[in-house]
mmCIF file of all heavy atoms in Angstrom:
data_model
loop_
_atom_site.group_PDB
_atom_site.id
_atom_site.type_symbol
_atom_site.label_atom_id
_atom_site.label_comp_id
_atom_site.label_asym_id
_atom_site.label_seq_id
_atom_site.Cartn_x
_atom_site.Cartn_y
_atom_site.Cartn_z
ATOM 1 N N ARG N 87 -102.428 -48.591 31.284
ATOM 2 C CA ARG N 87 -102.595 -48.359 29.853
ATOM 3 C C ARG N 87 -103.592 -49.329 29.229
ATOM 4 O O ARG N 87 -104.344 -48.953 28.318
ATOM 5 C CB ARG N 87 -101.228 -48.435 29.163
ATOM 6 C CG ARG N 87 -100.395 -47.181 29.408
ATOM 7 C CD ARG N 87 -98.905 -47.389 29.234
ATOM 8 N NE ARG N 87 -98.190 -46.116 29.345
ATOM 9 C CZ ARG N 87 -97.901 -45.524 30.498
ATOM 10 N NH1 ARG N 87 -98.275 -46.084 31.650
ATOM 11 N NH2 ARG N 87 -97.260 -44.370 30.514
ATOM 12 N N ILE N 88 -103.626 -50.548 29.717
ATOM 13 C CA ILE N 88 -104.640 -51.496 29.239
ATOM 14 C C ILE N 88 -106.034 -50.983 29.568
ATOM 15 O O ILE N 88 -106.939 -50.975 28.730
ATOM 16 C CB ILE N 88 -104.401 -52.889 29.863
ATOM 17 C CG1 ILE N 88 -103.104 -53.504 29.335
ATOM 18 C CG2 ILE N 88 -105.580 -53.817 29.561
ATOM 19 C CD1 ILE N 88 -102.723 -54.803 30.010
ATOM 20 N N LEU N 89 -106.221 -50.539 30.805
ATOM 21 C CA LEU N 89 -107.526 -50.018 31.215
ATOM 22 C C LEU N 89 -107.887 -48.749 30.448
ATOM 23 O O LEU N 89 -109.044 -48.559 30.071
ATOM 24 C CB LEU N 89 -107.519 -49.733 32.718
ATOM 25 C CG LEU N 89 -107.622 -50.943 33.641
ATOM 26 C CD1 LEU N 89 -107.381 -50.524 35.086
ATOM 27 C CD2 LEU N 89 -108.973 -51.619 33.505
ATOM 28 N N ALA N 90 -106.900 -47.893 30.212
ATOM 29 C CA ALA N 90 -107.174 -46.659 29.473
ATOM 30 C C ALA N 90 -107.652 -46.967 28.060
ATOM 31 O O ALA N 90 -108.587 -46.324 27.559
ATOM 32 C CB ALA N 90 -105.919 -45.793 29.438
ATOM 33 N N TYR N 91 -107.031 -47.941 27.432
ATOM 34 C CA TYR N 91 -107.461 -48.344 26.086
ATOM 35 C C TYR N 91 -108.882 -48.906 26.128
ATOM 36 O O TYR N 91 -109.727 -48.556 25.297
ATOM 37 C CB TYR N 91 -106.493 -49.389 25.526
ATOM 38 C CG TYR N 91 -106.947 -49.998 24.222
ATOM 39 C CD1 TYR N 91 -106.784 -49.312 23.020
ATOM 40 C CD2 TYR N 91 -107.554 -51.254 24.192
ATOM 41 C CE1 TYR N 91 -107.215 -49.865 21.824
ATOM 42 C CE2 TYR N 91 -107.996 -51.807 23.002
ATOM 43 C CZ TYR N 91 -107.818 -51.099 21.815
ATOM 44 O OH TYR N 91 -108.258 -51.653 20.632
ATOM 45 N N GLN N 92 -109.150 -49.774 27.103
ATOM 46 C CA GLN N 92 -110.475 -50.379 27.207
ATOM 47 C C GLN N 92 -111.547 -49.327 27.500
ATOM 48 O O GLN N 92 -112.650 -49.376 26.930
ATOM 49 C CB GLN N 92 -110.474 -51.452 28.300
ATOM 50 C CG GLN N 92 -109.613 -52.662 27.972
ATOM 51 C CD GLN N 92 -109.566 -53.667 29.113
ATOM 52 O OE1 GLN N 92 -109.975 -53.379 30.239
ATOM 53 N NE2 GLN N 92 -109.057 -54.854 28.839
ATOM 54 N N LEU N 93 -111.229 -48.378 28.377
ATOM 55 C CA LEU N 93 -112.188 -47.318 28.699
ATOM 56 C C LEU N 93 -112.526 -46.486 27.462
ATOM 57 O O LEU N 93 -113.693 -46.171 27.205
ATOM 58 C CB LEU N 93 -111.626 -46.403 29.791
ATOM 59 C CG LEU N 93 -111.610 -46.956 31.216
ATOM 60 C CD1 LEU N 93 -110.809 -46.048 32.127
ATOM 61 C CD2 LEU N 93 -113.026 -47.126 31.745
ATOM 62 N N THR N 94 -111.503 -46.133 26.711
ATOM 63 C CA THR N 94 -111.722 -45.302 25.521
ATOM 64 C C THR N 94 -112.536 -46.052 24.473
ATOM 65 O O THR N 94 -113.449 -45.483 23.859
ATOM 66 C CB THR N 94 -110.370 -44.871 24.934
ATOM 67 O OG1 THR N 94 -109.617 -44.177 25.938
ATOM 68 C CG2 THR N 94 -110.565 -43.946 23.745
ATOM 69 N N GLN N 95 -112.220 -47.332 24.269
ATOM 70 C CA GLN N 95 -112.948 -48.113 23.266
ATOM 71 C C GLN N 95 -114.380 -48.397 23.703
ATOM 72 O O GLN N 95 -115.289 -48.470 22.867
ATOM 73 C CB GLN N 95 -112.215 -49.436 23.002
ATOM 74 C CG GLN N 95 -110.814 -49.276 22.444
ATOM 75 C CD GLN N 95 -110.799 -48.487 21.146
ATOM 76 O OE1 GLN N 95 -111.545 -48.784 20.220
ATOM 77 N NE2 GLN N 95 -109.950 -47.460 21.078
ATOM 78 N N THR N 96 -114.592 -48.552 24.994
ATOM 79 C CA THR N 96 -115.916 -48.926 25.492
ATOM 80 C C THR N 96 -116.846 -47.724 25.617
ATOM 81 O O THR N 96 -118.018 -47.783 25.223
ATOM 82 C CB THR N 96 -115.795 -49.629 26.859
ATOM 83 O OG1 THR N 96 -114.946 -50.772 26.721
ATOM 84 C CG2 THR N 96 -117.168 -50.084 27.358
ATOM 85 N N TYR N 97 -116.338 -46.621 26.152
ATOM 86 C CA TYR N 97 -117.206 -45.487 26.483
ATOM 87 C C TYR N 97 -117.042 -44.272 25.569
ATOM 88 O O TYR N 97 -117.920 -43.411 25.546
ATOM 89 C CB TYR N 97 -116.971 -45.066 27.931
ATOM 90 C CG TYR N 97 -117.333 -46.132 28.931
ATOM 91 C CD1 TYR N 97 -116.354 -46.863 29.597
ATOM 92 C CD2 TYR N 97 -118.665 -46.431 29.202
ATOM 93 C CE1 TYR N 97 -116.685 -47.852 30.515
ATOM 94 C CE2 TYR N 97 -119.008 -47.419 30.121
ATOM 95 C CZ TYR N 97 -118.009 -48.128 30.771
ATOM 96 O OH TYR N 97 -118.345 -49.106 31.669
ATOM 97 N N GLY N 98 -115.950 -44.180 24.850
ATOM 98 C CA GLY N 98 -115.762 -43.056 23.946
ATOM 99 C C GLY N 98 -115.119 -41.854 24.615
ATOM 100 O O GLY N 98 -115.099 -41.720 25.842
ATOM 101 N N ARG N 99 -114.616 -40.950 23.802
ATOM 102 C CA ARG N 99 -113.844 -39.816 24.298
ATOM 103 C C ARG N 99 -114.720 -38.798 25.023
ATOM 104 O O ARG N 99 -114.287 -38.158 25.981
ATOM 105 C CB ARG N 99 -113.087 -39.171 23.148
ATOM 106 C CG ARG N 99 -112.102 -40.125 22.497
ATOM 107 C CD ARG N 99 -111.367 -39.513 21.331
ATOM 108 N NE ARG N 99 -110.736 -40.562 20.544
ATOM 109 C CZ ARG N 99 -109.556 -41.117 20.830
ATOM 110 N NH1 ARG N 99 -108.873 -40.693 21.878
ATOM 111 N NH2 ARG N 99 -109.052 -42.060 20.074
ATOM 112 N N GLU N 100 -115.940 -38.606 24.570
ATOM 113 C CA GLU N 100 -116.809 -37.639 25.224
ATOM 114 C C GLU N 100 -117.093 -38.045 26.665
ATOM 115 O O GLU N 100 -117.062 -37.203 27.574
ATOM 116 C CB GLU N 100 -118.115 -37.515 24.438
ATOM 117 C CG GLU N 100 -119.057 -36.455 24.978
ATOM 118 C CD GLU N 100 -120.293 -36.286 24.117
ATOM 119 O OE1 GLU N 100 -120.121 -35.943 22.931
ATOM 120 O OE2 GLU N 100 -121.418 -36.495 24.624
ATOM 121 N N GLN N 101 -117.332 -39.335 26.893
ATOM 122 C CA GLN N 101 -117.582 -39.814 28.250
ATOM 123 C C GLN N 101 -116.328 -39.706 29.106
ATOM 124 O O GLN N 101 -116.400 -39.369 30.304
ATOM 125 C CB GLN N 101 -118.072 -41.254 28.219
ATOM 126 C CG GLN N 101 -118.446 -41.815 29.588
ATOM 127 C CD GLN N 101 -119.623 -41.097 30.205
ATOM 128 O OE1 GLN N 101 -120.767 -41.331 29.838
ATOM 129 N NE2 GLN N 101 -119.350 -40.204 31.158
ATOM 130 N N ILE N 102 -115.177 -39.994 28.512
ATOM 131 C CA ILE N 102 -113.912 -39.848 29.230
ATOM 132 C C ILE N 102 -113.751 -38.406 29.715
ATOM 133 O O ILE N 102 -113.399 -38.150 30.874
ATOM 134 C CB ILE N 102 -112.722 -40.243 28.340
ATOM 135 C CG1 ILE N 102 -112.777 -41.737 27.986
ATOM 136 C CG2 ILE N 102 -111.391 -39.904 29.020
ATOM 137 C CD1 ILE N 102 -112.619 -42.670 29.143
ATOM 138 N N LEU N 103 -114.009 -37.446 28.846
ATOM 139 C CA LEU N 103 -113.906 -36.034 29.223
ATOM 140 C C LEU N 103 -114.898 -35.678 30.327
ATOM 141 O O LEU N 103 -114.565 -34.949 31.269
ATOM 142 C CB LEU N 103 -114.134 -35.154 28.001
ATOM 143 C CG LEU N 103 -112.927 -34.923 27.096
ATOM 144 C CD1 LEU N 103 -113.359 -34.316 25.763
ATOM 145 C CD2 LEU N 103 -111.900 -34.033 27.779
ATOM 146 N N GLU N 104 -116.117 -36.167 30.214
ATOM 147 C CA GLU N 104 -117.130 -35.866 31.225
ATOM 148 C C GLU N 104 -116.704 -36.394 32.584
ATOM 149 O O GLU N 104 -116.781 -35.676 33.592
ATOM 150 C CB GLU N 104 -118.460 -36.476 30.797
ATOM 151 C CG GLU N 104 -119.602 -36.203 31.777
ATOM 152 C CD GLU N 104 -120.919 -36.766 31.266
ATOM 153 O OE1 GLU N 104 -121.336 -36.389 30.156
ATOM 154 O OE2 GLU N 104 -121.523 -37.604 31.976
ATOM 155 N N TRP N 105 -116.268 -37.643 32.638
ATOM 156 C CA TRP N 105 -115.813 -38.213 33.908
ATOM 157 C C TRP N 105 -114.591 -37.457 34.439
ATOM 158 O O TRP N 105 -114.498 -37.168 35.634
ATOM 159 C CB TRP N 105 -115.472 -39.684 33.730
ATOM 160 C CG TRP N 105 -116.672 -40.568 33.665
ATOM 161 C CD1 TRP N 105 -117.922 -40.312 34.155
ATOM 162 C CD2 TRP N 105 -116.741 -41.874 33.074
ATOM 163 N NE1 TRP N 105 -118.767 -41.362 33.906
ATOM 164 C CE2 TRP N 105 -118.072 -42.341 33.255
ATOM 165 C CE3 TRP N 105 -115.829 -42.686 32.419
ATOM 166 C CZ2 TRP N 105 -118.484 -43.578 32.806
ATOM 167 C CZ3 TRP N 105 -116.239 -43.930 31.964
ATOM 168 C CH2 TRP N 105 -117.556 -44.369 32.162
ATOM 169 N N TYR N 106 -113.669 -37.158 33.550
ATOM 170 C CA TYR N 106 -112.437 -36.506 33.984
ATOM 171 C C TYR N 106 -112.723 -35.151 34.615
ATOM 172 O O TYR N 106 -112.210 -34.826 35.693
ATOM 173 C CB TYR N 106 -111.499 -36.351 32.791
ATOM 174 C CG TYR N 106 -110.129 -35.843 33.164
ATOM 175 C CD1 TYR N 106 -109.129 -36.723 33.551
ATOM 176 C CD2 TYR N 106 -109.828 -34.485 33.135
ATOM 177 C CE1 TYR N 106 -107.874 -36.274 33.905
ATOM 178 C CE2 TYR N 106 -108.575 -34.019 33.487
ATOM 179 C CZ TYR N 106 -107.604 -34.920 33.877
ATOM 180 O OH TYR N 106 -106.359 -34.466 34.241
ATOM 181 N N LEU N 107 -113.564 -34.351 33.969
ATOM 182 C CA LEU N 107 -113.834 -33.001 34.468
ATOM 183 C C LEU N 107 -114.732 -33.009 35.704
ATOM 184 O O LEU N 107 -114.801 -32.008 36.416
ATOM 185 C CB LEU N 107 -114.464 -32.158 33.362
ATOM 186 C CG LEU N 107 -113.487 -31.802 32.235
ATOM 187 C CD1 LEU N 107 -114.220 -31.210 31.048
ATOM 188 C CD2 LEU N 107 -112.416 -30.849 32.736
ATOM 189 N N ASN N 108 -115.396 -34.109 35.983
ATOM 190 C CA ASN N 108 -116.194 -34.217 37.198
ATOM 191 C C ASN N 108 -115.396 -34.778 38.367
ATOM 192 O O ASN N 108 -115.919 -34.867 39.488
ATOM 193 C CB ASN N 108 -117.425 -35.089 36.950
ATOM 194 C CG ASN N 108 -118.588 -34.294 36.381
ATOM 195 O OD1 ASN N 108 -119.296 -33.597 37.095
ATOM 196 N ND2 ASN N 108 -118.771 -34.382 35.069
ATOM 197 N N THR N 109 -114.137 -35.155 38.124
ATOM 198 C CA THR N 109 -113.287 -35.662 39.207
ATOM 199 C C THR N 109 -111.981 -34.896 39.339
ATOM 200 O O THR N 109 -111.208 -35.148 40.268
ATOM 201 C CB THR N 109 -112.955 -37.148 38.988
ATOM 202 O OG1 THR N 109 -112.315 -37.306 37.708
ATOM 203 C CG2 THR N 109 -114.204 -38.004 39.018
ATOM 204 N N ALA N 110 -111.714 -33.957 38.437
ATOM 205 C CA ALA N 110 -110.450 -33.222 38.467
ATOM 206 C C ALA N 110 -110.338 -32.393 39.744
ATOM 207 O O ALA N 110 -111.323 -31.856 40.248
ATOM 208 C CB ALA N 110 -110.345 -32.321 37.236
ATOM 209 N N TRP N 111 -109.133 -32.273 40.248
ATOM 210 C CA TRP N 111 -108.874 -31.506 41.470
ATOM 211 C C TRP N 111 -108.441 -30.099 41.078
ATOM 212 O O TRP N 111 -107.495 -29.900 40.312
ATOM 213 C CB TRP N 111 -107.784 -32.178 42.296
ATOM 214 C CG TRP N 111 -107.460 -31.450 43.569
ATOM 215 C CD1 TRP N 111 -108.313 -30.729 44.341
ATOM 216 C CD2 TRP N 111 -106.185 -31.369 44.214
ATOM 217 N NE1 TRP N 111 -107.662 -30.201 45.443
ATOM 218 C CE2 TRP N 111 -106.360 -30.580 45.377
ATOM 219 C CE3 TRP N 111 -104.931 -31.894 43.929
ATOM 220 C CZ2 TRP N 111 -105.305 -30.301 46.245
ATOM 221 C CZ3 TRP N 111 -103.881 -31.617 44.790
ATOM 222 C CH2 TRP N 111 -104.066 -30.838 45.943
ATOM 223 N N TYR N 112 -109.130 -29.096 41.646
ATOM 224 C CA TYR N 112 -108.855 -27.709 41.330
ATOM 225 C C TYR N 112 -108.345 -26.930 42.543
ATOM 226 O O TYR N 112 -108.407 -25.704 42.563
ATOM 227 C CB TYR N 112 -110.122 -27.036 40.783
ATOM 228 C CG TYR N 112 -110.557 -27.613 39.461
ATOM 229 C CD1 TYR N 112 -111.573 -28.574 39.399
ATOM 230 C CD2 TYR N 112 -109.963 -27.206 38.276
ATOM 231 C CE1 TYR N 112 -111.968 -29.104 38.180
ATOM 232 C CE2 TYR N 112 -110.360 -27.735 37.051
ATOM 233 C CZ TYR N 112 -111.358 -28.685 37.009
ATOM 234 O OH TYR N 112 -111.751 -29.216 35.805
ATOM 235 N N GLY N 113 -107.840 -27.625 43.540
ATOM 236 C CA GLY N 113 -107.324 -26.962 44.731
ATOM 237 C C GLY N 113 -108.386 -26.805 45.802
ATOM 238 O O GLY N 113 -109.584 -26.834 45.540
ATOM 239 N N ARG N 114 -107.936 -26.653 47.062
ATOM 240 C CA ARG N 114 -108.831 -26.412 48.205
ATOM 241 C C ARG N 114 -109.959 -27.443 48.305
ATOM 242 O O ARG N 114 -111.106 -27.115 48.594
ATOM 243 C CB ARG N 114 -109.416 -25.004 48.127
ATOM 244 C CG ARG N 114 -108.419 -23.920 48.487
ATOM 245 C CD ARG N 114 -109.049 -22.556 48.598
ATOM 246 N NE ARG N 114 -108.256 -21.718 49.512
ATOM 247 C CZ ARG N 114 -108.546 -21.521 50.785
ATOM 248 N NH1 ARG N 114 -109.602 -22.106 51.317
ATOM 249 N NH2 ARG N 114 -107.788 -20.759 51.546
ATOM 250 N N ASN N 115 -109.638 -28.700 48.065
ATOM 251 C CA ASN N 115 -110.609 -29.790 48.170
ATOM 252 C C ASN N 115 -111.800 -29.621 47.231
ATOM 253 O O ASN N 115 -112.873 -30.172 47.490
ATOM 254 C CB ASN N 115 -111.117 -29.948 49.617
ATOM 255 C CG ASN N 115 -110.107 -30.624 50.517
ATOM 256 O OD1 ASN N 115 -109.364 -31.498 50.084
ATOM 257 N ND2 ASN N 115 -110.054 -30.223 51.779
ATOM 258 N N ALA N 116 -111.614 -28.877 46.154
ATOM 259 C CA ALA N 116 -112.670 -28.732 45.145
ATOM 260 C C ALA N 116 -112.423 -29.756 44.045
ATOM 261 O O ALA N 116 -111.506 -29.595 43.230
ATOM 262 C CB ALA N 116 -112.677 -27.327 44.570
ATOM 263 N N TYR N 117 -113.228 -30.807 44.038
ATOM 264 C CA TYR N 117 -113.120 -31.863 43.034
ATOM 265 C C TYR N 117 -114.317 -31.761 42.091
ATOM 266 O O TYR N 117 -115.463 -31.781 42.524
ATOM 267 C CB TYR N 117 -113.080 -33.241 43.682
ATOM 268 C CG TYR N 117 -111.763 -33.535 44.356
ATOM 269 C CD1 TYR N 117 -111.543 -33.206 45.690
ATOM 270 C CD2 TYR N 117 -110.723 -34.119 43.648
ATOM 271 C CE1 TYR N 117 -110.325 -33.463 46.300
ATOM 272 C CE2 TYR N 117 -109.498 -34.386 44.250
ATOM 273 C CZ TYR N 117 -109.311 -34.051 45.575
ATOM 274 O OH TYR N 117 -108.100 -34.296 46.177
ATOM 275 N N GLY N 118 -114.025 -31.637 40.820
ATOM 276 C CA GLY N 118 -115.083 -31.513 39.835
ATOM 277 C C GLY N 118 -115.324 -30.063 39.458
ATOM 278 O O GLY N 118 -115.133 -29.137 40.257
ATOM 279 N N VAL N 119 -115.767 -29.867 38.216
ATOM 280 C CA VAL N 119 -115.916 -28.514 37.685
ATOM 281 C C VAL N 119 -116.999 -27.736 38.423
ATOM 282 O O VAL N 119 -116.883 -26.520 38.595
ATOM 283 C CB VAL N 119 -116.202 -28.579 36.169
ATOM 284 C CG1 VAL N 119 -117.453 -29.370 35.873
ATOM 285 C CG2 VAL N 119 -116.323 -27.186 35.573
ATOM 286 N N HIS N 120 -118.045 -28.398 38.893
ATOM 287 C CA HIS N 120 -119.102 -27.679 39.599
ATOM 288 C C HIS N 120 -118.588 -27.115 40.921
ATOM 289 O O HIS N 120 -118.835 -25.946 41.255
ATOM 290 C CB HIS N 120 -120.303 -28.593 39.852
ATOM 291 C CG HIS N 120 -121.474 -27.883 40.464
ATOM 292 N ND1 HIS N 120 -121.592 -27.688 41.824
ATOM 293 C CD2 HIS N 120 -122.577 -27.309 39.907
ATOM 294 C CE1 HIS N 120 -122.703 -27.026 42.083
ATOM 295 N NE2 HIS N 120 -123.322 -26.782 40.940
ATOM 296 N N ALA N 121 -117.878 -27.935 41.683
ATOM 297 C CA ALA N 121 -117.333 -27.462 42.959
ATOM 298 C C ALA N 121 -116.363 -26.311 42.748
ATOM 299 O O ALA N 121 -116.354 -25.337 43.508
ATOM 300 C CB ALA N 121 -116.646 -28.612 43.689
ATOM 301 N N ALA N 122 -115.539 -26.399 41.700
ATOM 302 C CA ALA N 122 -114.573 -25.341 41.432
ATOM 303 C C ALA N 122 -115.262 -24.055 41.002
ATOM 304 O O ALA N 122 -114.880 -22.957 41.436
ATOM 305 C CB ALA N 122 -113.593 -25.806 40.353
ATOM 306 N N ALA N 123 -116.280 -24.159 40.133
ATOM 307 C CA ALA N 123 -117.003 -22.965 39.682
ATOM 308 C C ALA N 123 -117.690 -22.274 40.854
ATOM 309 O O ALA N 123 -117.704 -21.036 40.943
ATOM 310 C CB ALA N 123 -118.021 -23.353 38.614
ATOM 311 N N GLN N 124 -118.236 -23.062 41.771
ATOM 312 C CA GLN N 124 -118.882 -22.487 42.946
ATOM 313 C C GLN N 124 -117.865 -21.850 43.883
ATOM 314 O O GLN N 124 -118.087 -20.751 44.402
ATOM 315 C CB GLN N 124 -119.655 -23.576 43.683
ATOM 316 C CG GLN N 124 -120.934 -24.023 43.000
ATOM 317 C CD GLN N 124 -122.043 -22.998 43.176
ATOM 318 O OE1 GLN N 124 -122.403 -22.628 44.284
ATOM 319 N NE2 GLN N 124 -122.579 -22.518 42.056
#
């Protein structure tokens, strides 16, 4: 929670969303929105 607060204050919510969606797991070893869309 300390790191989450620091990340949000340092990089902002838009960057948090960008990082999150580029690392999210969508099944079948597809990590990130590009891999899942493909």
Side-chain angles (χ1 to χ4, degrees):
R87 284 158 174 79
I88 292 174
L89 284 171
Y91 173 79
Q92 293 176 347
L93 285 170
T94 303
Q95 298 302 309
T96 303
Y97 297 106
R99 299 179 196 277
E100 184 176 300
Q101 184 64 78
I102 295 295
L103 277 167
E104 181 177 303
W105 283 337
Y106 187 87
L107 290 169
N108 274 281
T109 57
W111 180 32
Y112 295 99
R114 286 188 154 262
N115 284 326
Y117 287 90
V119 59
H120 185 275
Q124 287 284 304

